[in-house]
Amino acid sequence: MKICMIVANDMVYDSRVDRHAETLGQNGYDVTVLCTHTSRTTLEERRPCYLIIRRSDFLHRLVDARMRARQSQSRSRAVSDLPEKVSTLRSLIRSFFRLALSVTFDLSMIHAARQLNANIYICNEVYTLRVGVFMKLLGKRIVYDAHELYPDMFGDTPNYLRRLLGRVEGFLTKFADIVITVNEFMASEICSRYGIHRPVVVMNCARASFPFRPVCAHRRERKVVLYHGVMSRERGLENVVLACKHLRNGIQVVFRGEGPIELKLKELARGLSNCVFEKPVPVSEVVSRAAEADVGIVSYLPTTLNNIYASPNKLFEYLQAGLPVVGSDLPFIRKILLENEIGLVFNPFDPTDIARAINFISQDEAYRKMKMNVEKARHRFSWEAESRKLLSAISDIGPVGY
């Protein structure tokens, strides 16, 4: 049976889609991931058990060129992550341009999706669900994998726009044969919000292929606290930098990644010897490189419902790397960390409380206990265990069009 997974990024760092595609391919499905082409990628790429096909159009090539120019510019000066104030005319022009981008994206992806002629189309964001609905009208089966609560992703989204996006997503979601999401909190919200059957929960668990690093009798004196991932607003990273001023001696915070507020964070960290920055690593090395650290950190701010119910990939990547975790006091993060005694929570708005959690978990006795608990929990929160839910959901759809 042929499966086409559609995603609105270039598949360089999308670990969830990579895991899903590889697992389906390993279990006998003919899997192709259809995504966007950018300057850092090739038009086709073969990965273990699946194929990636990338498509682009003139407008997206123009946007990609513009983004590369801005990145080059940002090397010499800091670029604010805050929304810039623009005139009404410029705002209208941007709105029309975004609409044009959406239309050209849909047309390009629909054309490629029809050529692939798959039996099942898995849409990995609301942006790709429009393409999926078109394929549904052609008699194909559709799966909607809702990674986020998309209308609630950004705190500065006007209420009227959030309501409009919710109505659009609710309308499109009703075409899906099955809806999948990342945790029980989001599943309940989507079910209540759109009046559909409760989505299947497939958590963002990482593969358990990396061997566990046991607790050493003689730990090195320095403890390394790692944040890896995108450096963007509403992830509370500014407060993590400020927390470095209140850490005990022998603790270092490492930011591994890149993003729109990277330069802002580096400027904020100027003069702090216990705060360092590293480049991101390939998806295949994320867990093994995370194991170089001692503690993982997840610091999302509860600025939106999407952030409040966040289920970050990095939480499970840290666990598979054998790291205890300190995280924001949010429902899902709290549930995982406290129920399994594998970490501590903090107030992400308060740098001193972030430092409190890091200082406590870095103490030898607390660290050793939580490290042992991570060893017990990591098998339960592994992709090898979680993948069965994905395979069961796909097999329940049926072979229509096969």
Side-chain angles (χ1 to χ4, degrees):
M1 184 180 293
K2 293 181 68 174
I3 293 179
C4 173
M5 303 181 68
I6 312 174
V7 61
N9 61 54
D10 61 7
M11 277 298 292
V12 173
Y13 296 120
D14 198 325
S15 55
R16 180 176 174 89
V17 175
D18 177 70
R19 285 192 300 271
H20 287 207
E22 183 175 316
T23 295
L24 291 169
Q26 287 172 341
N27 284 271
Y29 294 99
D30 180 4
V31 181
T32 299
V33 175
L34 183 59
C35 62
T36 58
H37 178 240
T38 61
S39 59
R40 63 182 179 179
T41 59
T42 57
L43 288 172
E44 288 194 11
E45 179 184 349
R46 171 61 67 176
R47 291 188 186 175
C49 304
Y50 73 95
L51 174 69
I52 296 176
I53 295 178
R54 298 184 175 95
R55 290 290 180 264
S56 66
D57 52 70
F58 171 75
L59 283 179
H60 282 84
R61 287 195 295 272
L62 185 65
V63 170
D64 187 43
R66 173 60 177 162
M67 289 179 64
R68 282 186 283 121
R70 291 193 66 179
Q71 288 171 355
S72 177
Q73 183 185 51
S74 70
R75 295 190 184 100
S76 59
R77 65 180 180 86
V79 178
S80 174
D81 63 300
L82 296 175
E84 61 176 306
K85 295 181 179 179
V86 297
S87 66
T88 302
L89 177 60
R90 194 172 180 183
S91 179
L92 286 171
I93 292 173
R94 286 187 175 183
S95 296
F96 279 116
F97 189 70
R98 291 191 187 101
L99 178 61
L101 280 172
S102 296
V103 171
T104 55
F105 174 83
D106 288 357
L107 292 175
S108 174
M109 288 296 180
I110 286 171
H111 177 69
R114 289 189 67 184
Q115 286 184 320
L116 288 172
N117 193 31
N119 307 102
I120 299 173
Y121 289 83
I122 302 178
C123 306
N124 285 276
E125 305 100 347
V126 70
Y127 319 113
T128 62
L129 188 54
R130 300 188 300 259
V131 180
V133 169
F134 184 90
M135 301 311 298
K136 175 75 171 184
L137 298 176
L138 296 181
K140 305 298 184 178
R141 293 295 200 185
I142 304 301
V143 176
Y144 177 32
D145 188 358
H147 302 184
E148 317 275 356
L149 294 174
Y150 290 99
D152 302 281
M153 283 188 68
F154 304 109
D156 57 0
T157 303
N159 288 333
Y160 78 88
L161 185 55
R162 187 176 287 115
R163 288 193 296 269
L164 176 61
L165 292 173
R167 287 171 184 164
V168 171
E169 183 178 37
F171 172 75
L172 296 175
T173 298
K174 295 184 187 300
F175 286 87
D177 294 282
I178 289 181
V179 177
I180 296 172
T181 194
V182 296
N183 63 48
E184 66 268 34
F185 298 101
M186 287 197 179
S188 295
E189 179 63 25
I190 292 171
C191 177
S192 172
R193 182 178 290 189
Y194 300 137
I196 62 171
H197 291 297
R198 187 177 178 82
V200 176
V201 173
V202 179
M203 293 191 295
N204 284 325
C205 297
R207 298 180 182 91
S209 55
F210 185 75
F212 184 75
R213 186 180 65 175
V215 181
C216 298
H218 301 286
R219 294 288 300 167
R220 62 178 183 268
E221 290 186 4
R222 188 185 70 171
K223 290 291 194 301
V224 175
V225 180
L226 173 68
Y227 171 87
H228 69 216
V230 178
M231 298 179 190
S232 61
R233 57 195 176 97
E234 301 188 9
R235 296 202 172 186
L237 301 180
E238 298 94 330
N239 291 332
V240 176
V241 172
L242 295 175
C244 292
K245 299 177 181 179
H246 307 284
L247 296 179
R248 294 187 294 105
N249 291 334
I251 300 176
Q252 183 180 67
V253 175
V254 174
F255 292 89
R256 182 177 293 157
E258 56 189 16
I261 67 168
E262 180 180 353
L263 289 177
K264 179 181 179 182
L265 294 176
K266 289 179 178 178
E267 182 64 28
L268 198 60
R270 190 184 298 274
L272 294 174
S273 60
N274 60 353
C275 183
V276 301
F277 294 81
E278 298 179 357
K279 290 295 183 183
V281 299
V283 171
S284 60
E285 299 176 19
V286 164
V287 173
S288 60
R289 291 293 306 279
E292 298 169 358
D294 299 284
V295 177
I297 186 166
V298 184
S299 53
Y300 285 29
L301 297 175
T303 51
T304 66
L305 195 60
N306 184 66
N307 272 17
I308 290 171
Y309 291 157
S311 179
N313 281 301
K314 61 179 64 63
L315 171 60
F316 298 104
E317 290 162 352
Y318 295 150
L319 297 184
Q320 290 308 319
L323 309 185
V325 180
V326 289
S328 299
D329 191 3
L330 302 174
F332 182 75
I333 295 173
R334 182 197 309 123
K335 177 181 175 64
I336 296 296
L337 297 186
L338 299 190
E339 286 188 4
N340 296 280
E341 298 184 44
I342 53 177
L344 300 173
V345 295
F346 53 69
N347 176 356
F349 291 109
D350 185 354
T352 60
D353 197 48
I354 296 172
R356 172 201 58 79
I358 293 174
N359 286 333
F360 185 87
I361 204 170
S362 299
Q363 296 176 27
D364 288 344
E365 184 177 349
Y367 182 81
R368 189 178 298 108
K369 177 183 177 182
M370 291 189 185
K371 183 84 171 176
M372 293 176 62
N373 290 339
V374 170
E375 182 177 8
K376 300 173 185 176
R378 67 193 293 266
H379 301 291
R380 186 163 68 258
F381 296 116
S382 69
W383 179 241
E384 286 72 13
E386 200 67 14
S387 62
R388 302 187 192 106
K389 300 177 185 177
L390 173 67
L391 294 171
S392 176
I394 298 302
S395 67
D396 286 345
I397 293 176
V400 171
Y402 184 58

